Amino acid sequence: FEAPRDQLRIKQALRKLRETLRCQGFTIGGSQTVWHVYVIQLEDSHIAKKPAGYRGHVYVGQTSLPVEERIKQHQLGVKYNWKGKHLHSKDCHRYFRRYAPELLPDQFRQPIPCSRKAQQRERDLRRYLEHQGYKVIGGTELLPKKPRRQEPTK
């Protein structure tokens, strides 16, 4: 007999092991799932002050879906998945201009074997595009969190 608490720990350990093995390039249970990063060019007429060297406004993301399907979700503003979460970035949907694969450098074009590495590559793509002069939204999951500003106490 296993206590429910033990079953939960076992499930969590198995999930972590599967992710670790995927990141090392192993196929788990016949799954051929891979992730890709992508860039969407956004409308920038709402940005009042554009700094020197500004090259545009973009959104970066990562997905295990076919990239064209994920782009459509952003473009059409697909509302919710079965968990009740938005399937698109609200800002990406609002300012969507076009899918911009030409902004994706060669080093970011290869399929990625696991979600953790996809998030890392998405973060790296964000940093790369910011360095190139783009205003970037998305790709923030692995960036350090900014400390919340504390309200002065009275």
Side-chain angles (χ1 to χ4, degrees):
F1 173 76
E2 292 178 28
R5 187 174 59 229
D6 292 336
Q7 289 175 352
L8 178 62
R9 272 191 257 159
I10 290 168
K11 277 185 174 181
Q12 290 171 337
L14 282 172
R15 189 177 304 129
K16 186 176 180 179
L17 176 60
R18 283 187 200 107
E19 179 69 6
T20 299
L21 290 171
R22 275 191 204 104
C23 286
Q24 293 174 3
F26 290 94
T27 300
I28 309 298
S31 172
Q32 298 293 317
T33 303
V34 293
W35 282 256
H36 294 88
V37 293
Y38 57 91
V39 180
I40 296 174
Q41 187 176 19
L42 304 174
E43 181 62 47
D44 63 359
S45 59
H46 65 285
I47 300 173
K49 291 185 179 181
K50 296 175 181 140
Y54 174 81
R55 296 186 61 193
H57 190 204
V58 296
Y59 173 85
V60 299
Q62 48 93 10
T63 185
S64 61
L65 297 173
V67 173
E68 292 76 16
E69 184 178 332
R70 186 69 181 115
I71 300 299
K72 278 278 190 227
Q73 289 176 343
H74 285 296
Q75 186 178 18
L76 300 175
V78 174
K79 295 292 183 191
Y80 301 100
N81 67 4
W82 61 275
K83 292 180 183 178
K85 294 184 177 182
H86 282 279
L87 292 178
H88 66 283
S89 157
K90 290 179 184 179
D91 284 337
C92 184
H93 171 65
R94 180 181 301 133
Y95 301 117
F96 186 96
R97 181 181 286 170
R98 66 181 188 83
Y99 173 44
E102 73 281 358
L103 295 179
L104 198 62
D106 288 341
Q107 68 263 32
F108 293 99
R109 292 181 184 270
Q110 299 79 21
I112 309 158
C114 67
S115 62
R116 186 176 68 231
K117 284 189 177 182
Q119 287 178 338
Q120 291 168 351
R121 195 168 299 168
E122 179 187 40
R123 176 203 58 208
D124 295 344
L125 176 58
R126 177 192 174 98
R127 288 178 173 161
Y128 172 84
L129 290 170
E130 286 174 334
H131 183 73
Q132 297 297 313
Y134 290 92
K135 175 178 173 38
V136 182
I137 59 174
T140 59
E141 284 126 76
L142 296 183
L143 291 179
K145 302 282 188 233
K146 293 181 181 176
R148 283 191 149 169
R149 195 172 143 197
Q150 296 291 323
E151 294 296 322
T153 55
K154 293 181 181 181

